[in-house]
Amino acid sequence: MHDHDDPAWGPLPVRSAALRWLVLLPLTLVFLPVWWVVWVLLALCFYGIAPVVQLVVYLMPRSENGAIRMLDATLGRVPFIPRWCVTPVALVREGDAEYYRARVDRKVGKKTRLAAASSLGLHRDLELGVHYFRGAGAGHVMRVASELGWSLHPLLRSHPRRRLRLRHNGRPQPDTGA
């Protein structure tokens, strides 16, 4: 089990305003559209291969976990919003831990309601990139999520400084009246 109070699970250090405005913002404006085009092309290639993989999984059911791990090891390593990207929220809210905590609480609460309402097991996965919980830390995400029935995904890897992948246990949570 992970120690969510470990410094690696804490908030990321606050980036200086000069770094955000003079380096990361221009880098984001120039390279992020190119990054997204490459990401979409890579995703389309994988979706083109998906019917063949689906056939293999259909013929050999035990290969499904390997197919999921292979997809995670390739496309899962390329985030849609990279860590070097400065989102408008990060420009304005850098260092505001309360904002990030409230943001995480809302997102996890919303996904919990969707997971509990889905009788088919849909909406059981939650992926949060570091840009989403940067000021609160991965430990805060895990504390909030574990209270609502979430745990680290059993197949897909998480890293507290990059991305958290969670899976809901599928049981409805008691209403706290919030």
Side-chain angles (χ1 to χ4, degrees):
M1 190 64 191
H2 298 284
D3 179 17
H4 305 303
D5 293 322
D6 181 21
W9 289 80
L12 272 69
V14 177
R15 298 177 286 202
S16 70
L19 176 68
R20 285 190 317 241
W21 288 97
L22 298 177
V23 177
L24 294 177
L25 181 62
L27 184 71
T28 298
L29 294 175
V30 171
F31 290 111
L32 190 60
V34 175
W35 180 273
W36 283 343
V37 168
V38 169
W39 196 93
V40 167
L41 290 176
L42 188 61
L44 288 175
C45 288
F46 277 108
Y47 284 115
I49 296 170
V52 176
V53 173
Q54 186 67 31
L55 179 64
V56 171
V57 168
Y58 180 72
L59 295 174
M60 297 181 294
R62 298 184 75 197
S63 65
E64 183 175 6
N65 288 346
I68 291 172
R69 279 194 224 108
M70 188 273 307
L71 187 62
D72 179 47
T74 52
L75 191 59
R77 299 258 181 197
V78 182
F80 191 68
I81 299 178
R83 285 187 343 175
W84 51 262
C85 176
V86 179
T87 62
V89 171
L91 280 173
V92 177
R93 300 287 190 162
E94 186 78 22
D96 186 0
E98 289 304 315
Y99 171 78
Y100 281 101
R101 285 187 188 115
R103 187 178 186 193
V104 165
D105 294 347
R106 281 192 310 269
K107 178 74 167 189
V108 173
K110 179 180 177 184
K111 284 297 280 188
T112 301
R113 286 189 298 280
L114 285 172
S118 175
S119 61
L120 300 175
L122 302 175
H123 307 291
R124 287 187 54 203
D125 294 336
L126 171 61
E127 181 173 331
L128 292 174
V130 71
H131 65 278
Y132 209 86
F133 61 84
R134 177 178 184 82
H140 174 74
V141 174
M142 287 307 299
R143 278 189 291 278
V144 169
S146 63
E147 291 173 2
L148 297 174
W150 295 89
S151 59
L152 290 174
H153 199 286
L155 294 177
L156 304 178
R157 286 187 238 153
S158 293
H159 191 279
R161 295 287 190 198
R162 293 187 200 119
R163 171 183 332 146
L164 287 180
R165 293 170 164 166
L166 307 173
R167 168 140 299 182
H168 195 267
N169 62 14
R171 293 183 215 114
Q173 297 301 313
D175 189 13
T176 59

